Amino acid sequence: MDLTGMIQNPVEDQNSEQKLSKEEYAALKKQEREETWMQIDGQAQSVFKDGASLQKFLDFMTGQYNMPKVPNLLLLYSQNPEVKLVKSFDEWKHDRRSLRTGVHGYTYIIDTKYEKDGEMRSGYAISKGYDITQTKGRPLEERPQRDIHTLLEAVLKNQNIRLQIADNLPDKIQAQYIPNQRTIYIRNGMSEITTFHAINRELACAALDQHDGNYARNRVNAQAFCATYILGKRYGVDVSGFDLEKVAGIQEHGQKDPQELRLFLNDVRTAAYGIRGHIERNLREPEQQFVTEDTFTVGESEKKSPDKGKKSKNEPER
């Protein structure tokens, strides 16, 4: 007997979560959050396993400027360390790009707002994002390469902290941030690459100064060093002299509490992305201040003075 066409299995319900009770749905979402944070914490510890592992993660951070949360960086890295630029479906749509057929999104965390007891509160939800390689459409603007001299000018221009050349710095001190003076002292005459890294390291230290009297250089040195590496990698400046093994050792090769490791990475992100934003603003082409324009010049009205003894049309009768 041919049963073809007689047996009809039920179609898989894509919205099965909607059939759960309120309690079941809450339990499901709680489990999802717990599993996500376990994944994040595990990756945080893995990042600091050794210098090579940390370097690979910092390379990953270099290209993820649009992802401001460290948990998301760790979460995406654990799923695919090769992703380049992850955005939501709506964000890609806004960029005039669409998803390729059959792609599966990456899990990441999004901020949410909700009302409870008459008050608006902040929360988060687990959602899906898509890498640029999973999309097609309008190409993104390419970033031009800049020479080291141009990069240095962009770093130094319009800084909100005082920069001063110092010829009497102690040996082996390339540059240093002095918190009570809010000044970075810089040795003159170094190579451009060394100068670029040294200034960025001290700017990172300054960025991590909370100005509460508790600044201590030994508490921000490692974070500033990692931030400097990211900036060098970002702009194609030689980073072969960076040894990240000591940083991994300071973090006990990932054996510290995962939350402490995430806080360390958040300091790195804060410093690196802040300095990068300053550089990017200064690298933008300035608009011309004065442009001669004949075609759309607004002409002046030609008014003739009324003849003496005659009343102007607009002059009221007495």
Side-chain angles (χ1 to χ4, degrees):
M1 182 179 180
D2 186 3
L3 298 178
T4 303
M6 297 179 64
I7 298 177
Q8 296 183 351
N9 288 315
V11 177
E12 184 178 355
D13 189 352
Q14 300 296 325
N15 299 314
S16 57
E17 287 187 0
Q18 296 179 1
K19 294 184 177 181
L20 299 175
S21 67
K22 184 177 180 179
E23 292 74 16
E24 290 173 330
Y25 182 79
L28 180 66
K29 289 301 178 184
K30 180 181 178 181
Q31 181 182 356
E32 182 182 37
R33 289 194 295 270
E34 289 175 349
E35 291 175 352
T36 298
W37 281 104
M38 286 179 61
Q39 188 174 355
I40 292 169
D41 288 345
Q43 187 59 62
Q45 293 177 314
S46 179
V47 159
F48 291 97
K49 181 178 66 175
D50 52 38
S53 297
L54 178 57
Q55 182 174 344
K56 289 179 181 177
F57 183 70
L58 296 181
D59 289 346
F60 176 78
M61 286 183 69
T62 300
Q64 302 296 325
Y65 186 65
N66 72 310
M67 195 61 63
K69 292 183 178 296
V70 166
N72 272 337
L73 291 170
L74 292 164
L75 193 56
L76 290 172
Y77 188 73
S78 69
Q79 295 170 82
N80 183 0
E82 301 299 323
V83 297
K84 302 299 182 184
L85 182 64
V86 175
K87 296 184 180 184
S88 69
F89 172 83
D90 288 337
E91 287 172 328
W92 282 126
K93 185 177 180 181
H94 180 267
D95 291 338
R96 299 183 185 179
R97 295 184 68 86
S98 58
L99 300 184
R100 296 183 184 275
T101 304
V103 298
H104 298 281
Y106 295 101
T107 300
Y108 75 141
I109 298 170
I110 60 172
D111 294 326
T112 59
K113 297 284 186 181
Y114 65 96
E115 185 177 350
K116 185 176 182 179
D117 300 328
E119 296 181 357
M120 292 302 299
R121 303 188 181 187
S122 299
Y124 71 91
I126 309 299
S127 186
K128 292 290 183 181
Y130 302 88
D131 187 45
I132 187 172
T133 58
Q134 298 176 301
T135 69
K136 57 184 179 180
R138 180 182 181 181
L140 300 183
E141 184 179 353
E142 294 185 5
R143 177 171 52 90
Q145 290 294 321
R146 308 286 187 165
D147 62 80
I148 186 65
H149 185 77
T150 301
L151 291 171
L152 270 171
E153 286 183 335
V155 171
L156 296 170
K157 183 180 178 181
N158 297 329
Q159 276 293 344
N160 57 6
I161 187 168
R162 188 181 177 205
L163 304 171
Q164 182 170 323
I165 295 173
D167 296 322
N168 59 343
L169 287 176
D171 290 343
K172 298 183 179 180
I173 300 295
Q174 301 164 336
Q176 191 146 118
Y177 167 63
I178 306 300
N180 60 353
Q181 299 178 27
R182 298 197 180 185
T183 300
I184 295 175
Y185 292 93
I186 309 163
R187 181 184 296 277
N188 202 15
M190 298 184 293
S191 72
E192 289 180 318
I193 291 176
T194 299
T195 302
F196 181 79
H197 290 320
I199 292 173
N200 283 332
R201 184 191 63 227
E202 299 311 305
L203 286 171
C205 287
L208 298 174
D209 183 2
Q210 301 297 315
H211 304 298
D212 56 2
N214 294 318
Y215 174 86
R217 187 177 182 84
N218 62 354
R219 289 204 295 264
V220 300
N221 248 339
Q223 297 95 315
F225 187 70
C226 292
T228 308
Y229 173 87
I230 289 176
L231 291 163
K233 189 75 175 180
R234 167 68 181 175
Y235 293 106
V237 180
D238 182 25
V239 291
S240 59
F242 283 74
D243 183 1
L244 296 163
E245 187 64 41
K246 186 175 181 179
V247 179
I250 292 173
Q251 300 305 317
E252 300 176 6
H253 298 286
Q255 296 306 305
K256 285 189 175 182
D257 181 84
Q259 184 175 1
E260 186 175 347
L261 298 175
R262 294 201 309 269
L263 289 173
F264 179 95
L265 292 173
N266 188 65
D267 284 345
V268 174
R269 181 202 64 79
T270 298
Y273 290 10
I275 297 169
R276 173 179 163 171
H278 177 86
I279 293 174
E280 292 294 326
R281 286 191 295 273
N282 286 334
L283 286 178
R284 295 188 189 122
E285 292 294 332
E287 294 184 0
Q288 296 181 15
Q289 296 297 315
F290 301 100
V291 180
T292 302
E293 178 60 78
D294 296 326
T295 307
F296 297 101
T297 299
V298 178
E300 295 184 4
S301 300
E302 294 184 2
K303 294 183 178 180
K304 295 182 179 180
S305 300
D307 293 340
K308 291 183 179 181
K310 293 185 178 179
K311 294 180 180 178
S312 167
K313 290 184 179 179
N314 296 324
E315 185 178 346
E317 295 287 344
R318 293 186 179 179

